[in-house]
Amino acid sequence: MPLVAGVDSSTQSCKVVVRDAETGDLVRQGRAPHPDGTEVDPSAWWSALQTAIDAAGGLDDVAAVSVAGQQHGMVCLDAAGEVVRPALLWNDTRSAQAAADLVEEAGAGTAGRQFWADAVGSVPVASFTVTKLRWLARHEPANADRVAAVCLPHDWLTWRLSGSSDLAALRTDRSDASGTGYWSPATGEYRPDLLERALGRAVRVPTVLGAAEAAGALPDGALLGPGAGDNAAAGLGVGAGPGDVVVSIGTSGTVFSVADAPAADPTGIVAGFADATGRFLPLVCTLNAARVLDAAAGMLRVGLDELAELALAAPPGADGLVLVPYLEGERTPNRPLATGAVHGLTLRTSTPAHLARAAVEGMLCALADGLDALAAQGATVRRVILVGGGARSAAVRRIAAQVFGCPVVVPPPGEYVADGAARQAAWLALGGAEPPSWSPSGTEEYAAEPVPAIRERYAEARERHLDRPTTG
Ligand SMILES: Nc1ncnc2c1ncn2[C@@H]1O[C@H](COP(=O)(O)OP(=O)(O)O)[C@@H](O)[C@H]1O
Ligand SMILES: O=C(CO)[C@@H](O)[C@H](O)COP(=O)(O)O
């Protein structure tokens, strides 16, 4: 019974699971928090990983380990392998202008967007690594000059676990490479010209590995998997198949499916990522998901369970109260300077229950827009598989079916990103053409009559968002 480990180095925390490679049974697990903020020193991820590994009983007895992580974060290394500056995370919007510039430089109007969609499958917004490199070149030229290599959070952790300090030993996988903006899922090749266009010169990038190719080994011999972006790992963790759309409610809200052909959406709404099995992962990502619930609970001075009870106590549509959840600006739609808003306040709707319901519905409506965009790109939506920390909310689980208008399947609470990484590690340890078939048992299914008025009213409110003041 070989054991394998999977890591999820996500925005808010690091999670480690140790599972039986053949059956997928959970043997032990651990976690540790990450610091807050959209700019983080990678050494904090390394410390959290060590703490989480210790809490999971160590890795001495595992045959293989894979690291999945938050996508897009810019980790710049100098020639000695030292981190040049704190990493800019996927939810850091300071590179919004750089993103607009890169698109504009590629062609006026739709031509620029079409260029990027054709070149790398996605139109870059502030989240993408390529825009952060442009920001660095323009705003911190001395730091930009020191950069010898650029990689992503999961690449850096895998490299650290290997014990190497040689930049030539950096490895990544297709799924995370596809979120950089300088690697094409359609061709499987880097676009060094686009990286150079952003940073002003060429730097080293990690070698892109196949789905079950070793990235090296831990010093004590356990194999290191290629790892994955967290969404691709979640797809592997829940075993998403044809007709499944996964909705993940973490810091980000994501809506994605596994596809046989690459996507290239010139509107920029759907990102044409690669998955962790050799296929593709069209994906829509919002900046505001579980933290909308945290914020609503904070405003109401209740815990998350009480927030769910309150939300379920108000009627569908919250009697017309709508919360537009752009609390951190927004990525989809691309409104980095937007703020959130509450519309429809009356004496009747000025209750904690109405506000709680509006928060849950607003967050889910933004994701339902993503579901529509994915369907417009050809995805079949037979059911939604709901994962991420926000899926622990009873209100989210119940209201999702009303908002999405399709059955919602919720696997038992778990760490599906770390599980996907563990499944990849098992694939590496056991070999074979496909990953071992683990499937979560005990899923719950939620079905409900759709309530179209919720989305209609949300769509009206969404258009009336305000931008953040740029001074003061
Ligand atoms: N019972 C719950 N109800 C609602 N939200 C929850 C609940 N439990 C955890 N969460 C939320 O889940 C989020 C963390 O989810 P996670 O998927 O781990 O995020 P990330 O992958 O971005 O680090 C937190 O914002 C937390 O508030
Ligand atoms: O930017 C994206 C996807 O494109 C995010 O999904 C990040 O990958 C962060 O994920 P979480 O930590 O919120 O799960």
Side-chain angles (χ1 to χ4, degrees), residues 6-427:
V7 176
D8 174 16
S9 177
S10 73
T11 313
Q12 296 190 43
S13 59
C14 183
K15 304 125 191 178
V16 174
V17 298
V18 175
R19 288 188 175 268
D20 181 303
E22 272 150 20
T23 63
D25 289 348
L26 181 65
V27 177
R28 39 184 216 261
Q29 60 185 323
R31 63 186 294 144
H34 282 161
D36 232 353
T38 62
E39 174 176 304
V40 171
D41 186 335
S43 66
W45 301 329
W46 180 247
S47 313
L49 176 60
Q50 301 310 313
T51 307
I53 288 173
D54 287 348
L59 299 180
D60 289 349
D61 53 353
V62 304
V65 53
S66 282
V67 182
Q70 53 176 314
Q71 295 186 246
H72 312 295
M74 178 184 72
V75 181
C76 290
L77 303 174
D78 69 14
E82 297 298 327
V83 169
V84 170
R85 75 175 314 288
L88 295 186
L89 306 195
W90 65 278
N91 53 353
D92 188 291
T93 52
R94 79 186 71 179
S95 56
Q97 187 57 48
D101 291 347
L102 284 167
V103 174
E104 178 68 23
E105 287 164 20
T110 54
R113 293 201 297 273
Q114 187 71 56
F115 168 86
W116 284 94
D118 291 342
V120 291
S122 302
V123 181
V125 290
S127 296
F128 283 70
T129 328
V130 71
T131 73
K132 299 177 191 301
L133 287 170
R134 167 58 70 84
W135 179 90
L136 190 74
R138 294 283 187 271
H139 294 266
E140 296 183 354
N143 279 338
D145 284 347
R146 285 179 54 213
V147 178
V150 59
C151 64
L152 298 167
H154 109 254
D155 313 341
W156 185 77
L157 286 169
T158 304
W159 184 64
R160 289 288 313 260
L161 281 171
S162 77
S164 177
S165 56
D166 180 356
L167 298 180
L170 282 165
R171 298 287 182 267
T172 191
D173 86 305
R174 291 170 67 250
S175 68
D176 232 5
S178 65
T180 58
Y182 43 83
W183 185 83
S184 163
T187 65
E189 302 286 342
Y190 274 112
R191 289 289 306 258
D193 56 320
L194 299 181
L195 191 159
E196 203 167 332
R197 196 183 281 193
L199 186 65
R201 66 196 172 82
V203 291
R204 186 181 282 280
V205 285
T207 303
V208 183
L209 298 175
E213 214 178 323
L218 293 179
D220 67 5
L223 289 172
L224 270 168
D230 55 0
N231 292 293
L236 199 52
V238 298
D244 290 334
V245 172
V246 180
V247 172
S248 167
I249 301 178
T251 314
S252 62
T254 57
V255 184
F256 58 91
S257 61
V258 175
D260 288 325
D265 174 14
T267 71
I269 295 174
V270 176
F273 294 153
D275 87 335
T277 67
R279 299 181 182 87
F280 300 91
L281 199 84
L283 177 146
V284 179
C285 178
T286 69
L287 277 186
N288 299 283
R291 278 182 171 160
V292 176
L293 307 180
D294 295 337
M299 283 192 282
L300 295 170
R301 295 173 186 251
V302 296
L304 289 166
D305 289 342
E306 203 178 341
L307 182 82
E309 279 168 31
L310 283 169
L312 290 170
D319 290 319
L321 193 73
V322 179
L323 187 143
V324 181
Y326 299 160
L327 308 187
E328 291 215 275
E330 191 41 271
R331 161 171 166 181
T332 315
N334 184 16
R335 291 174 180 164
L337 297 178
T339 56
V342 180
H343 295 264
L345 275 173
T346 62
L347 285 179
R348 182 182 171 80
T349 61
S350 300
T351 74
H354 284 83
L355 185 63
R357 179 114 199 169
V360 173
E361 288 181 350
M363 178 198 69
L364 289 170
C365 282
L367 294 169
D369 288 347
L371 212 54
D372 288 350
L374 213 59
Q377 284 291 306
T380 313
V381 187
R382 277 194 218 107
R383 59 175 196 167
V384 159
I385 302 176
L386 197 62
V387 295
R392 294 177 195 254
S393 159
V396 168
R397 296 197 297 267
R398 290 187 186 285
I399 297 171
Q402 288 174 337
V403 174
F404 295 159
C406 67
V408 171
V409 171
V410 188
E415 297 303 342
Y416 289 98
V417 175
D419 289 348
R423 192 164 170 225
Q424 183 192 72
W427 191 4

